[in-house]
Amino acid sequence: MTDPIKLEAVVPHESAGSRLDQVAAELFASFSRSRLQQWIKSGDLLVDGKNYRPKDKLLGGEHLSINVVPEAEGTWEPESISLDITYEDDHILVINKPAGLVVHPAAGNYTGTLLNGLLHHVAANESIPRAGIVHRLDKETTGLMVVAKSLEAHNALIQQLQARSVHREYQAITQGVMTGGGTVDEPMGRHPQARTKMAVVNHGGKDAITHYRVIERFPNHTHIRVKLETGRTHQIRVHMAHIGYSLVGDMVYGGRLKLPKGATAELHDMLRNFKRQALHAGKLGLVHPESEEYMEWQVPPPEDYNLLLEMLKKDAKS
């Protein structure tokens, strides 16, 4: 069972004339304003023991109290799913996600997701939005994700993501040989024809910024390091395809498989059988919600990614 949240605060006199929801957001900054408004409306946040509306003005000196048992945010089922945990404490959980694991239940994937596994590992996360998941990785992308284990941590992580202060670094293998690194600053939105895809769009898109640099060049491919400034759906895959360097194995944005001329039969075979985008979220850095210290984690790419790199190096030598 989730522990109740019990908090108290006195409204400072300099806040006289301000709305209750504004003052509550200042005094209980660990929670989102929408969450506090919800508690005000439900009677879980009281003013001098009485119900107020979010827009009601305060005089200063009032006593605010929160006493709430967070309710389940959804009807998800806990499932015993093996999690590769890189770090865990009372506030956050950092997971190294394998390829093939869907992050959140959706049409066609209601079970067997990371979220189902999280609820089995931390039952109290049922009362946190999306069971504490604050950002996603595509099903076939591997690497690090942070998960909140409290509403306070959830709000702090969301604020960092919105402020673009979370450090996210990826490795990827692209088709084609890059001459150097650069930045892709192109807005993204739903593909105008294929609604299940994302695309660079000229009108109505959200800003999307991707920085990339070359780690190693091969005769027909490039190993790159990518840093995200924004976190749009499929951002790296869309941006790399947009500049003509789609990711190896990306059948959604890379089009038909192109086997390089002159490459070894072994490499051709490897490329035919690499059925996912060659993308790995290898480094994650953020300010810890409780200690406020900067923390960073790093995990190497999985075996299939490393085997592909080895084959590209072997092919280059031959």
Side-chain angles (χ1 to χ4, degrees), residues 16-30:
S18 298
R19 289 169 51 124
L20 169 58
D21 56 357
Q22 292 173 329
V23 176
E26 292 172 3
L27 296 178
F28 305 114
S30 295

Side-chain angles (χ1 to χ4, degrees), residues 185-215:
D185 185 351
E186 296 286 354
M188 285 178 53
R190 287 283 168 195
H191 193 287
Q193 282 84 42
R195 301 302 291 174
T196 58
K197 294 171 64 174
M198 305 300 288
V200 168
V201 294
N202 294 321
H203 303 288
K206 294 181 178 178
D207 63 323
I209 303 170
T210 305
H211 306 284
Y212 63 95
R213 71 174 191 264
V214 173
I215 298 174

Side-chain angles (χ1 to χ4, degrees), residues 174-180 217-222 245:
T174 72
Q175 300 189 74
V177 184
M178 291 184 175
T179 55
R217 296 181 188 85
F218 303 104
N220 300 283
H221 300 85
T222 312
Y245 297 97

Side-chain angles (χ1 to χ4, degrees), residues 240-314:
M240 290 301 106
H242 179 71
I243 62 172
Y245 297 97
S246 58
L247 304 192
V248 168
D250 191 343
M251 290 173 275
V252 175
Y253 298 105
R256 195 167 56 84
L257 174 65
K258 306 175 192 73
L259 294 175
K261 293 178 181 178
T264 63
E266 281 183 300
L267 179 57
H268 279 185
D269 193 48
M270 172 73 76
L271 292 169
R272 283 193 196 95
N273 291 297
F274 202 89
K275 300 295 187 182
R276 68 176 189 87
Q277 63 269 7
L279 182 60
H280 174 68
K283 188 183 286 187
L284 176 69
L286 52 87
V287 175
H288 191 278
E290 180 66 17
S291 69
E292 297 186 351
E293 293 178 9
Y294 180 77
M295 299 182 74
E296 193 170 85
W297 302 271
Q298 194 164 344
V299 291
E303 185 179 11
D304 64 341
Y305 187 102
N306 288 330
L307 285 172
L308 176 58
L309 270 180
E310 287 175 20
M311 193 61 68
L312 288 169
K313 291 177 182 181
K314 185 177 177 183

